[in-house]
Amino acid sequence: MKLENPSVHASTLEHFWMPFTANRAFKAAPRLLAKADGMYYWTPDGRQVLDGTAGLWCVNAGHNRKPIVEAVQRQAATMDYAPPFSMAHPIAFEAATAVAKLAPAGMQRVFFTNSGSESADTAIKMALAYHRARGEPSRRIIIGRERGYHGVNIGGTMAGGIPGNRKAFPALMAGVDHIRSTHDLARNAFSQGQPTHGAEFADELERLVAFHDPSNIAAVIVEPMAGSAGVLIPPQGYLEKLAATCKKHGIVLIFDEVITGFGRLGTPFAAHYFNITPDLLTCAKAINNAAVPMGAVIAKNEIYDTIVNAAPEGQIEFLHGYTYSAHPLACAALLATQQLYVDEQLFARSQAMAPKLAAALHSLKGARHVIDIRNLGLVGGIELEPRAGAVGRRGLEAHVKCFEAGVLVRFTGDILALSPPLIIEEAQIARIVETIRTALQSIE
Ligand SMILES: Cc1ncc(COP(=O)(O)O)c(C=O)c1O
């Protein structure tokens, strides 16, 4: 099928300053997607591409699902927009209730944002507001982790631990520190699921707490499973230790679940998977199948109560919010998406497909350039040996080869990442893995 799209011509590529993209290289050899359905994309010239990444870790129910499309269409025709400050609309409350139902016990307060980045910054501000409301305003330091990714707004950029980001934007926000990454190829390469070694990396939090003094530390923010920086799986016992240290010192624990939320690990949230309840949980992406931009911060009831009850009656308690918080179209997509997850039991399906993905992935051990394979839930990471003097080139070339062969695979430097829609079939997993194997064989 050829899709006529006259707007897509090389001469029209110059105006769009593309995000997180090597603009010059891309525009010289563009890779465009023009249509999607179920597990597939189509390029403008009609080539089918199997989606191994759920878009960008977000289209968990598969593409263009009818109930979601129709819910958004209906809402657009009913009420396009309503102001969310000191006004509201009914489906905002319904949407919050749907999310609260899925959240861990005691975390039933939901603040809507429009992205994962906004969720990270919102959670950081909530932690600061919480300590102020409890009479400990000196708690201001935010501790993140090296290679952590919490989006691109100022709080998330600073609490995140992506070296390039920190180089480009040094010290936008004072008062952050970082524990080390859990990545340990020497001891953990080719681990299946959670690596055995590395719980002790969490001890570094105790060191930082002693160094700064608990009275100055507001929050620790980590992804329970780091996705964007290359699929880094927490070692066994590691998150438990982090959570215990936070609890001991009165530090707010923020789980960034922008990738792990809504079934990626076979449970509603990674918090359920690891059986650890944070104080704040950020999410976005699959919250509404990415049909309309949306994110959320889920707070412990106690955090909401503390902040809200500290303000005088009638005064705004938390000076924060977005014009598009709880946008009606996003809420409509959310309700339809959450219903679809239930109707098709997609979280259970994710759990059932996870061992099949793991087995297929680990069959790549020994394939050309592969130095590690990692998996957890419906997520896979394949680390390639970087080419001398050209770190990241091999990852990009593998991604391009796979795309040319009709499979979308994500790359972060020299790490290939897989996070397919939860509706994936076994034969599609096999196709993705064989396409990667062939691509790796064909690149230097
Ligand atoms: C863990 C995590 N946090 C935050 C973000 C940022 O989300 P967004 O791109 O929606 O701002 C991402 C994006 O991939 C992410 O993986």
Side-chain angles (χ1 to χ4, degrees), residues 20 56-57 114-120 148-153 222-223 225-229 256-260 282 284-285 294 410:
F20 266 130
L56 203 47
W57 312 80
N114 307 292
S115 65
S117 300
E118 289 180 358
S119 296
Y149 183 64
H150 306 296
V152 293
N153 290 351
V222 289
E223 301 149 275
M225 185 217 71
S228 298
D256 184 335
E257 295 228 27
V258 166
I259 276 176
T260 47
T282 65
K285 298 192 189 256
M294 186 177 224
R410 179 139 179 77

Side-chain angles (χ1 to χ4, degrees), residues 129-131 133-135 301-311:
Y130 171 65
H131 290 302
R134 332 170 17 248
N301 303 352
E302 193 250 321
I303 291 190
Y304 171 90
D305 290 342
T306 304
I307 294 174
V308 166
N309 294 336

Side-chain angles (χ1 to χ4, degrees), residues 99-109 255 257 268-273 275-281 298-301:
V99 173
K101 270 191 195 152
L102 277 186
M107 300 192 76
Q108 271 67 46
R109 301 294 176 265
F255 269 2
E257 295 228 27
F269 294 100
H272 300 100
Y273 184 91
N275 198 20
I276 296 170
T277 303
D279 301 297
L280 296 169
L281 186 161
I298 307 174
K300 267 197 174 149
N301 303 352

Side-chain angles (χ1 to χ4, degrees), residues 18 21-30:
M18 295 176 65
T21 300
N23 272 255
R24 283 167 299 178
F26 183 94
K27 288 169 189 178

Side-chain angles (χ1 to χ4, degrees), residues 395-419:
L396 169 65
E397 286 170 21
H399 158 81
V400 171
K401 284 278 179 202
C402 288
F403 182 70
E404 285 168 353
V407 171
L408 186 63
V409 170
R410 179 139 179 77
F411 72 103
T412 305
D414 287 303
I415 300 166
L416 304 180
L418 292 176
S419 58

Side-chain angles (χ1 to χ4, degrees), residues 51-236:
D51 184 4
T53 60
L56 203 47
W57 312 80
C58 47
V59 185
N60 281 11
H63 293 276
N64 286 23
R65 298 301 308 271
K66 209 165 175 219
I68 305 172
V69 172
E70 289 178 352
V72 174
Q73 285 171 336
R74 264 195 315 275
Q75 185 57 45
T78 308
M79 182 173 71
D80 50 356
Y81 176 77
F85 302 166
S86 302
M87 286 297 295
H89 52 88
I91 62 167
F93 294 94
E94 281 178 53
T97 303
V99 173
K101 270 191 195 152
L102 277 186
M107 300 192 76
Q108 271 67 46
R109 301 294 176 265
V110 181
F111 191 104
F112 285 117
T113 69
N114 307 292
S115 65
S117 300
E118 289 180 358
S119 296
D121 280 36
T122 299
I124 289 170
K125 286 169 85 173
M126 273 181 190
L128 298 176
Y130 171 65
H131 290 302
R132 179 165 288 277
R134 332 170 17 248
E136 280 199 85
S138 65
R139 284 189 182 263
R140 287 195 209 142
I141 295 172
I142 307 295
I143 296 184
R145 184 170 58 197
E146 287 173 7
R147 294 184 74 161
Y149 183 64
H150 306 296
V152 293
N153 290 351
I154 288 181
T157 304
M158 290 297 97
I162 306 281
N165 265 353
R166 302 190 65 76
K167 182 176 166 195
F169 310 109
L172 288 174
M173 183 176 90
V176 288
D177 210 338
H178 293 79
I179 50 177
R180 61 153 288 172
S181 138
T182 58
H183 198 33
D184 186 353
L185 267 187
R187 290 192 300 168
N188 288 327
F190 299 102
S191 294
Q192 304 236 359
Q194 284 189 269
T196 342
H197 305 289
E200 74 281 3
F201 291 143
D203 296 341
E204 219 177 303
L205 182 57
E206 278 288 2
R207 181 180 69 75
L208 288 185
V209 170
F211 179 64
H212 292 289
D213 197 77
S215 66
N216 290 318
I217 301 183
V220 166
I221 180 166
V222 289
E223 301 149 275
M225 185 217 71
S228 298
V231 184
L232 308 177
I233 316 284
Q236 290 169 21

